[in-house]
Amino acid sequence: MIQLRSTLAGRIALTVFATLILLFLALPIVVIVVTSFGKDAFGDFPPDAWTLGWYQRLFATGSKWPAALSLSALVAALTTLFSLILGMTAATALVRSELPLRSAVYGLVLAPLVIPQVVIALGLFLLFEPASMLGSPVAIALGHTVLASPIAVMILVAALKGIDERLEDAAASMGASRFTVARRITFPLAMPGLVAAAIFSFITSFDEFFISQFLSSVDTVTLPVEVFNVLQYDVDPSVTAVSAILIAVAVVALALVGVARRLSGFGKQDGLLPTEPAVGLPAGSETP
């Protein structure tokens, strides 16, 4: 294979270009975070004076933000649970079974990622409204699961494909049941993927707006919907503090994914069982 030799000018140009892209992507985030500490949250950037008043205002008496934050956390936790159950079940069927039309089924599972969220939200509204479930945290969590579970499936499919199937076969050949194989072999080796799927499912639900907007009620409003309502009917500088909190949640979640992958050695399961004959033995002489 021919390899192109890099030049000093090429490396410098690539570094500058990549830096500009990263700055372009990160600049809005930096502006929001810095502005949330400014005395005039909708004033100049950078702020002329600094304060923590907008964060204190979030948890002041009579504020709606704590209820919205707790509801979003509850819905995200339920969504994570539902997504892991569906994701692990679907990933196991796609990777470990002889499922007919596997590619078509996989495409159907991932379909919610390409369908406009407004269309999905409208369909869920028409589904839950006759059942009088609008405003229910469970209904909102089920709606979020429609978007979060395909992401969980993609992550868990990759995790299961990275597990050496001979480990499961060896356990089964020694009399282990399917449940024991899953509990003692599959789940521990797939734990990094499960952690990543759980974190991404939580983030997806915590930040979801369209489905929450269609399925929420007056008394049950998630954090993104509350942000939209405040910006639509009022100008509250506390929104910048809420936005900074959402950014912090996403950053911490991604950091946890990286830590989990590093601590567990995700992606290093391949080759746990040797395929070559033992050193010093000719091929085929390992067993009498």
Side-chain angles (χ1 to χ4, degrees), residues 82-273:
F82 298 155
S83 297
L84 287 181
I85 295 175
L86 293 177
M88 195 64 188
T89 304
T92 302
L94 290 170
V95 176
R96 292 290 189 263
S97 67
E98 298 297 331
L99 190 67
L101 301 176
R102 183 180 306 177
S103 299
V105 173
Y106 192 34
L108 182 63
V109 170
L110 301 183
L113 296 179
V114 297
I115 296 176
Q117 295 184 13
V118 175
V119 175
I120 297 176
L122 178 59
L124 291 170
F125 173 82
L126 297 177
L127 175 66
F128 289 123
E129 196 276 334
S132 300
M133 293 183 65
L134 296 181
S136 169
V138 175
I140 300 175
L142 290 174
H144 289 182
T145 303
V146 175
L147 295 181
S149 55
I151 300 175
V153 170
M154 287 193 298
I155 296 174
L156 293 174
V157 163
L160 291 180
K161 286 184 177 180
I163 297 176
D164 197 330
E165 293 187 43
R166 291 172 297 173
L167 295 173
E168 299 173 341
D169 294 339
S173 67
M174 298 178 68
S177 63
R178 290 181 178 270
F179 177 76
T180 302
V181 172
R183 182 173 61 88
R184 301 294 297 272
I185 304 296
T186 307
F187 285 167
L189 291 178
M191 187 56 63
L194 288 170
V195 172
I199 292 175
F200 279 104
S201 298
F202 188 92
I203 295 175
T204 301
S205 174
F206 200 78
D207 295 338
E208 172 56 33
F209 168 73
F210 289 104
I211 292 178
S212 301
Q213 175 76 342
F214 274 77
L215 301 183
S216 63
S217 64
V218 177
D219 299 325
T220 54
V221 178
T222 61
L223 197 59
V225 175
E226 184 66 25
V227 170
F228 174 79
N229 293 338
V230 168
L231 292 178
Q232 186 177 13
Y233 301 111
D234 194 7
V235 178
D236 188 353
S238 300
V239 172
T240 57
V242 175
S243 302
I245 291 176
L246 292 175
I247 294 171
V249 169
V251 171
V252 171
L254 293 177
L256 290 177
V257 172
V259 171
R261 289 171 62 91
R262 181 175 294 274
L263 292 180
S264 58
F266 182 52
K268 298 180 180 179
Q269 302 99 306
D270 295 337
L272 288 176
L273 292 180

